[in-house]
PDB file of all heavy atoms in Angstrom:
ATOM      1  N   ILE A  50     -28.857  19.551  -1.396  1.00 98.00           N
ATOM      2  CA  ILE A  50     -28.461  18.426  -0.482  1.00 98.00           C
ATOM      3  C   ILE A  50     -28.798  18.772   0.975  1.00 98.00           C
ATOM      4  O   ILE A  50     -29.352  17.906   1.667  1.00 98.00           O
ATOM      5  CB  ILE A  50     -26.967  18.093  -0.647  1.00 98.00           C
ATOM      6  CG1 ILE A  50     -26.684  17.534  -2.043  1.00 98.00           C
ATOM      7  CG2 ILE A  50     -26.511  17.132   0.446  1.00 98.00           C
ATOM      8  CD1 ILE A  50     -27.350  16.216  -2.332  1.00 98.00           C
ATOM      9  N   GLN A  51     -28.475  19.944   1.437  1.00 98.00           N
ATOM     10  CA  GLN A  51     -28.748  20.321   2.809  1.00 98.00           C
ATOM     11  C   GLN A  51     -30.241  20.156   3.110  1.00 98.00           C
ATOM     12  O   GLN A  51     -30.609  19.588   4.138  1.00 98.00           O
ATOM     13  CB  GLN A  51     -28.281  21.749   3.068  1.00 98.00           C
ATOM     14  CG  GLN A  51     -28.403  22.219   4.509  1.00 98.00           C
ATOM     15  CD  GLN A  51     -27.379  21.637   5.409  1.00 98.00           C
ATOM     16  OE1 GLN A  51     -26.235  21.380   5.024  1.00 98.00           O
ATOM     17  NE2 GLN A  51     -27.715  21.447   6.667  1.00 98.00           N
ATOM     18  N   ALA A  52     -31.080  20.677   2.247  1.00 98.00           N
ATOM     19  CA  ALA A  52     -32.535  20.656   2.474  1.00 98.00           C
ATOM     20  C   ALA A  52     -33.088  19.244   2.391  1.00 98.00           C
ATOM     21  O   ALA A  52     -34.108  18.958   3.002  1.00 98.00           O
ATOM     22  CB  ALA A  52     -33.232  21.563   1.454  1.00 98.00           C
ATOM     23  N   LYS A  53     -32.438  18.368   1.622  1.00 98.00           N
ATOM     24  CA  LYS A  53     -32.965  16.987   1.430  1.00 98.00           C
ATOM     25  C   LYS A  53     -32.227  15.953   2.235  1.00 98.00           C
ATOM     26  O   LYS A  53     -32.462  14.755   2.088  1.00 98.00           O
ATOM     27  CB  LYS A  53     -32.907  16.642  -0.059  1.00 98.00           C
ATOM     28  CG  LYS A  53     -33.824  17.537  -0.896  1.00 98.00           C
ATOM     29  CD  LYS A  53     -34.147  16.923  -2.220  1.00 98.00           C
ATOM     30  CE  LYS A  53     -35.124  17.793  -2.939  1.00 98.00           C
ATOM     31  NZ  LYS A  53     -36.136  17.071  -3.605  1.00 98.00           N
ATOM     32  N   ALA A  54     -31.336  16.376   3.116  1.00 97.00           N
ATOM     33  CA  ALA A  54     -30.509  15.446   3.903  1.00 97.00           C
ATOM     34  C   ALA A  54     -31.379  14.493   4.740  1.00 97.00           C
ATOM     35  O   ALA A  54     -31.069  13.290   4.816  1.00 97.00           O
ATOM     36  CB  ALA A  54     -29.534  16.197   4.785  1.00 97.00           C
ATOM     37  N   LYS A  55     -32.448  15.003   5.325  1.00 97.00           N
ATOM     38  CA  LYS A  55     -33.319  14.152   6.143  1.00 97.00           C
ATOM     39  C   LYS A  55     -33.961  13.073   5.281  1.00 97.00           C
ATOM     40  O   LYS A  55     -34.032  11.904   5.654  1.00 97.00           O
ATOM     41  CB  LYS A  55     -34.392  15.022   6.820  1.00 97.00           C
ATOM     42  CG  LYS A  55     -35.223  14.275   7.834  1.00 97.00           C
ATOM     43  CD  LYS A  55     -36.178  15.231   8.551  1.00 97.00           C
ATOM     44  CE  LYS A  55     -37.013  14.493   9.593  1.00 97.00           C
ATOM     45  NZ  LYS A  55     -37.939  15.397  10.289  1.00 97.00           N
ATOM     46  N   GLU A  56     -34.434  13.439   4.078  1.00 97.00           N
ATOM     47  CA  GLU A  56     -35.025  12.498   3.133  1.00 97.00           C
ATOM     48  C   GLU A  56     -33.994  11.436   2.708  1.00 97.00           C
ATOM     49  O   GLU A  56     -34.278  10.233   2.657  1.00 97.00           O
ATOM     50  CB  GLU A  56     -35.529  13.281   1.919  1.00 97.00           C
ATOM     51  CG  GLU A  56     -36.042  12.422   0.780  1.00 97.00           C
ATOM     52  CD  GLU A  56     -36.359  13.253  -0.454  1.00 97.00           C
ATOM     53  OE1 GLU A  56     -36.765  14.412  -0.336  1.00 97.00           O
ATOM     54  OE2 GLU A  56     -36.171  12.705  -1.583  1.00 97.00           O
ATOM     55  N   ILE A  57     -32.782  11.899   2.416  1.00 98.00           N
ATOM     56  CA  ILE A  57     -31.694  10.974   1.999  1.00 98.00           C
ATOM     57  C   ILE A  57     -31.375  10.000   3.131  1.00 98.00           C
ATOM     58  O   ILE A  57     -31.164   8.816   2.871  1.00 98.00           O
ATOM     59  CB  ILE A  57     -30.465  11.772   1.544  1.00 98.00           C
ATOM     60  CG1 ILE A  57     -30.810  12.587   0.285  1.00 98.00           C
ATOM     61  CG2 ILE A  57     -29.266  10.860   1.292  1.00 98.00           C
ATOM     62  CD1 ILE A  57     -29.785  13.659  -0.085  1.00 98.00           C
ATOM     63  N   LYS A  58     -31.359  10.497   4.376  1.00 97.00           N
ATOM     64  CA  LYS A  58     -31.077   9.619   5.515  1.00 97.00           C
ATOM     65  C   LYS A  58     -32.111   8.499   5.627  1.00 97.00           C
ATOM     66  O   LYS A  58     -31.794   7.381   5.994  1.00 97.00           O
ATOM     67  CB  LYS A  58     -31.015  10.440   6.798  1.00 97.00           C
ATOM     68  CG  LYS A  58     -30.543   9.625   7.978  1.00 97.00           C
ATOM     69  CD  LYS A  58     -30.301  10.477   9.190  1.00 97.00           C
ATOM     70  CE  LYS A  58     -29.768   9.594  10.317  1.00 97.00           C
ATOM     71  NZ  LYS A  58     -29.367  10.326  11.449  1.00 97.00           N
ATOM     72  N   GLN A  59     -33.341   8.786   5.244  1.00 97.00           N
ATOM     73  CA  GLN A  59     -34.416   7.789   5.314  1.00 97.00           C
ATOM     74  C   GLN A  59     -34.263   6.669   4.278  1.00 97.00           C
ATOM     75  O   GLN A  59     -34.959   5.667   4.345  1.00 97.00           O
ATOM     76  CB  GLN A  59     -35.784   8.488   5.149  1.00 97.00           C
ATOM     77  CG  GLN A  59     -36.111   9.340   6.346  1.00 97.00           C
ATOM     78  CD  GLN A  59     -37.407  10.128   6.210  1.00 97.00           C
ATOM     79  OE1 GLN A  59     -37.954  10.238   5.112  1.00 97.00           O
ATOM     80  NE2 GLN A  59     -37.878  10.683   7.292  1.00 97.00           N
ATOM     81  N   TRP A  60     -33.376   6.863   3.321  1.00 97.00           N
ATOM     82  CA  TRP A  60     -33.102   5.762   2.352  1.00 97.00           C
ATOM     83  C   TRP A  60     -32.496   4.566   3.092  1.00 97.00           C
ATOM     84  O   TRP A  60     -32.544   3.451   2.605  1.00 97.00           O
ATOM     85  CB  TRP A  60     -32.161   6.221   1.252  1.00 97.00           C
ATOM     86  CG  TRP A  60     -32.673   7.286   0.338  1.00 97.00           C
ATOM     87  CD1 TRP A  60     -33.961   7.738   0.213  1.00 97.00           C
ATOM     88  CD2 TRP A  60     -31.879   8.057  -0.562  1.00 97.00           C
ATOM     89  NE1 TRP A  60     -34.032   8.711  -0.722  1.00 97.00           N
ATOM     90  CE2 TRP A  60     -32.767   8.941  -1.245  1.00 97.00           C
ATOM     91  CE3 TRP A  60     -30.543   8.068  -0.911  1.00 97.00           C
ATOM     92  CZ2 TRP A  60     -32.350   9.824  -2.231  1.00 97.00           C
ATOM     93  CZ3 TRP A  60     -30.116   8.974  -1.886  1.00 97.00           C
ATOM     94  CH2 TRP A  60     -31.023   9.819  -2.532  1.00 97.00           C
ATOM     95  N   LEU A  81     -23.755  15.278   3.989  1.00 98.00           N
ATOM     96  CA  LEU A  81     -24.517  14.083   4.360  1.00 98.00           C
ATOM     97  C   LEU A  81     -23.973  13.429   5.627  1.00 98.00           C
ATOM     98  O   LEU A  81     -24.726  13.016   6.503  1.00 98.00           O
ATOM     99  CB  LEU A  81     -24.560  13.092   3.190  1.00 98.00           C
ATOM    100  CG  LEU A  81     -25.368  13.576   1.977  1.00 98.00           C
ATOM    101  CD1 LEU A  81     -25.202  12.584   0.820  1.00 98.00           C
ATOM    102  CD2 LEU A  81     -26.836  13.744   2.346  1.00 98.00           C
ATOM    103  N   HIS A  84     -25.058  14.905   8.731  1.00 98.00           N
ATOM    104  CA  HIS A  84     -26.436  14.555   9.057  1.00 98.00           C
ATOM    105  C   HIS A  84     -26.590  13.077   9.407  1.00 98.00           C
ATOM    106  O   HIS A  84     -27.738  12.558   9.452  1.00 98.00           O
ATOM    107  CB  HIS A  84     -27.375  14.916   7.900  1.00 98.00           C
ATOM    108  CG  HIS A  84     -27.608  16.405   7.758  1.00 98.00           C
ATOM    109  ND1 HIS A  84     -28.611  17.047   8.449  1.00 98.00           N
ATOM    110  CD2 HIS A  84     -26.939  17.328   7.047  1.00 98.00           C
ATOM    111  CE1 HIS A  84     -28.557  18.349   8.138  1.00 98.00           C
ATOM    112  NE2 HIS A  84     -27.542  18.526   7.295  1.00 98.00           N
ATOM    113  N   VAL A  86     -25.510  10.402   7.667  1.00 98.00           N
ATOM    114  CA  VAL A  86     -25.610   9.482   6.521  1.00 98.00           C
ATOM    115  C   VAL A  86     -24.212   8.906   6.267  1.00 98.00           C
ATOM    116  O   VAL A  86     -23.220   9.649   6.252  1.00 98.00           O
ATOM    117  CB  VAL A  86     -26.129  10.226   5.271  1.00 98.00           C
ATOM    118  CG1 VAL A  86     -26.134   9.290   4.052  1.00 98.00           C
ATOM    119  CG2 VAL A  86     -27.499  10.815   5.480  1.00 98.00           C
TER     120      VAL A  86
END
Side-chain angles (χ1 to χ4, degrees):
I50 295 295
Q51 184 75 31
K53 296 200 176 221
K55 188 175 181 181
E56 174 187 327
I57 295 166
K58 187 172 183 174
Q59 291 175 347
W60 295 347
L81 292 173
H84 286 273
V86 176

